[in-house]
Amino acid sequence: MLLLAFETSCDETSVAVLKNGCVLANAVSSQVKIHEEYGGVVPELASREHLRNLMPVARQALDQAGVTPNQIEAVAGTRGPGLPGALLVGLRASQGIAFILDKPFIGIHHHEAHLYSPWISGDPLSLDIDAFQPNVSLIVSGGHTMLVQVSAPMKHRVLGMTVDDAAGECFDKVAKLIGLPYPGGPELDRLAKEGNEKIHQFPRPKLHDDSHDFSFSGLKTSVRYFIRDNPEVLEDGLRLRDLCAGVQSAIVDVLVKKTVRAAKRHGLRCITASGGVTCNSRLRTVLEEVCRDEDFMLRLANPKLCTDNAAMVGMVAHMRLANDCEFTSLDAEIIPNWSLEQLA
Ligand code: KG4
Ligand code: ZN
């Protein structure tokens, strides 16, 4: 089964080709440079860039896979959640291609795609579903922070999510406050490696809260006040690195402790993580240490698949097709606020 998959929910234009669940190509065109000067994703610009890039990226994926369009047997595309204009470009393009090729179309939930990305591994990348264990999955990106219980493939339930900012948004906003370029997460991660996390302590919001929810807007505000009261920190390279390490440590501490607690509460012995913030070096290290100490199985998404990509969208479509799923109509609409609960 040759499958063509599209992802355009935010600021990555991505097209993948999969053969029987094996990733033959996963082409990604990032819009970071376009949004950099605005310090965040500008929805109108994102839609325009998807429109401009989608067909060249699709051609690149097909060429890399050595596949011609008429060999494609099914088409998948992200239907939601995401930015409406951005989703619309990818969904209509993928439905249009399915129509022209007269092949089935499957609309995919973006978070469901993230949920299975930690199980995509190897070279070539393929679904390691034989290793699957019931797990708690942390989806952590610039737009989302949530904990999901995955009791079996395609069977999941949201345990908690952020009530305000996503963790990646917190990284990016703090980075902006201290003058780092967008997106700030990777840059803050780099500086934090050379800093001492113990010098400046920041609050761990909702850490002792009984729910599985997160909150990161207060942390960002406390950094704002800290800088207002200690502006000289911005002029001192070492103190700036200590500040980065302190902020990163607070974010990672909350993410890891709440994930581990959710796993224990639900009797799950496996933790998975995906989304852009899963690229964070400290998050990866601390999760590895804790899971080793607690004897949990850990599956972290391959860094290439942490940020948005069509390979993970295609993989969910592959799983659905293998389960004789219903196809999605060619005039189905985007669902910008689609929640995982609605999907279940
Ligand atoms: O999954 P993604 O590409 O897009 C969204 O759906 O938002 O994630 C992008 C987010 C940004 O907030 C970016 O700063 C963050 O992931 N990020 C990181 C790192 N690499 C990417 N945050 C912390 N440390 C990193 N190394
Ligand atoms: Zn995403």
Side-chain angles (χ1 to χ4, degrees):
M1 164 66 78
L2 267 173
L3 211 150
L4 187 64
F6 291 80
E7 156 62 37
T8 64
S9 65
C10 189
D11 61 343
E12 254 94 30
T13 312
S14 179
V15 181
V17 180
L18 281 78
K19 184 177 186 181
N20 301 328
C22 226
V23 181
L24 299 185
N26 180 38
V28 183
S29 166
S30 171
Q31 303 179 359
V32 165
K33 287 273 163 266
I34 305 286
H35 303 290
E36 198 172 22
E37 67 175 288
Y38 305 96
V41 179
V42 182
E44 289 77 8
L45 293 184
S47 317
R48 203 183 302 163
E49 282 305 299
H50 286 309
L51 207 51
R52 205 194 315 265
N53 293 329
L54 200 61
M55 286 307 122
V57 172
R59 213 164 290 129
Q60 185 191 338
L62 287 164
D63 287 350
Q64 198 185 323
V67 165
T68 58
N70 55 16
Q71 290 176 287
I72 294 297
E73 293 163 279
V75 183
T78 304
R79 217 179 147 187
L83 299 172
L87 285 169
L88 197 58
V89 174
L91 187 77
R92 289 291 182 249
S94 47
Q95 288 167 322
I97 289 168
F99 176 75
I100 293 165
L101 299 176
D102 195 19
K103 299 295 175 197
F105 172 72
I106 305 152
I108 299 297
H109 192 292
H110 181 77
H111 294 158
E112 194 177 30
H114 274 302
L115 279 185
Y116 296 96
S117 60
W119 302 97
I120 305 174
S121 60
D123 185 16
L125 291 166
S126 62
L127 193 66
D128 188 14
I129 209 69
D130 291 344
F132 181 89
Q133 299 270 338
N135 61 78
V136 159
S137 193
L138 172 69
I139 302 179
V140 63
S141 69
H144 315 285
T145 302
M146 60 170 77
L147 281 171
V148 184
Q149 176 176 0
V150 188
S151 34
M154 318 307 283
K155 201 160 177 267
H156 32 70
R157 167 168 90 95
V158 177
L159 299 175
M161 61 178 72
T162 182
V163 296
D164 43 52
D165 291 353
E169 202 176 346
C170 183
F171 269 110
D172 294 342
K173 286 179 176 171
V174 168
K176 195 173 176 184
L177 282 175
I178 61 178
L180 302 180
Y182 172 85
E187 190 63 10
L188 202 144
D189 183 359
R190 193 180 66 76
L191 292 177
K193 281 188 188 132
E194 296 157 11
N196 182 344
E197 70 195 49
K198 299 209 167 66
I199 305 285
H200 308 299
Q201 298 277 331
F202 290 98
R204 269 83 170 140
K206 283 196 174 289
L207 183 57
H208 302 294
D209 172 306
D210 203 40
S211 77
H212 295 303
D213 289 336
F214 298 95
S215 165
F216 290 104
S217 71
L219 174 54
K220 170 199 68 196
T221 308
S222 73
V223 176
R224 172 174 291 136
Y225 289 147
F226 177 83
I227 293 167
R228 183 197 63 191
D229 299 339
N230 304 274
E232 71 286 355
V233 168
L234 301 184
E235 309 304 324
D236 179 332
L238 187 57
R239 292 188 70 194
L240 187 68
R241 284 164 170 76
D242 293 339
L243 171 66
C244 291
V247 172
Q248 177 173 270
S249 168
I251 298 173
V252 169
D253 206 24
V254 175
L255 292 174
V256 172
K257 286 188 173 145
K258 294 205 78 155
T259 305
V260 170
R261 194 179 67 182
K264 286 184 176 169
R265 265 200 205 161
H266 291 85
L268 298 161
R269 304 298 309 162
C270 175
I271 286 173
T272 74
S274 61
V277 178
T278 309
C279 290
N280 184 266
S281 60
R282 184 168 169 89
L283 178 63
R284 294 181 87 85
T285 304
V286 178
L287 275 173
E288 275 160 11
E289 286 168 0
V290 171
C291 288
R292 197 178 46 233
D293 293 349
E294 300 271 358
D295 202 21
F296 280 123
M297 176 181 180
L298 175 68
R299 295 284 304 217
L300 297 172
N302 178 321
K304 273 189 278 184
L305 302 178
C306 281
T307 47
D308 293 342
N309 64 87
M312 65 182 188
V313 172
M315 207 55 88
V316 173
H318 163 74
M319 289 165 77
R320 290 201 172 277
L321 283 167
N323 283 297
D324 291 327
C325 68
E326 268 181 39
F327 302 139
T328 310
S329 108
L330 291 184
D331 57 7
E333 301 291 345
I334 54 165
I335 315 178
N337 296 316
W338 204 3
S339 72
L340 264 178
E341 281 99 339
Q342 283 170 306
L343 180 71

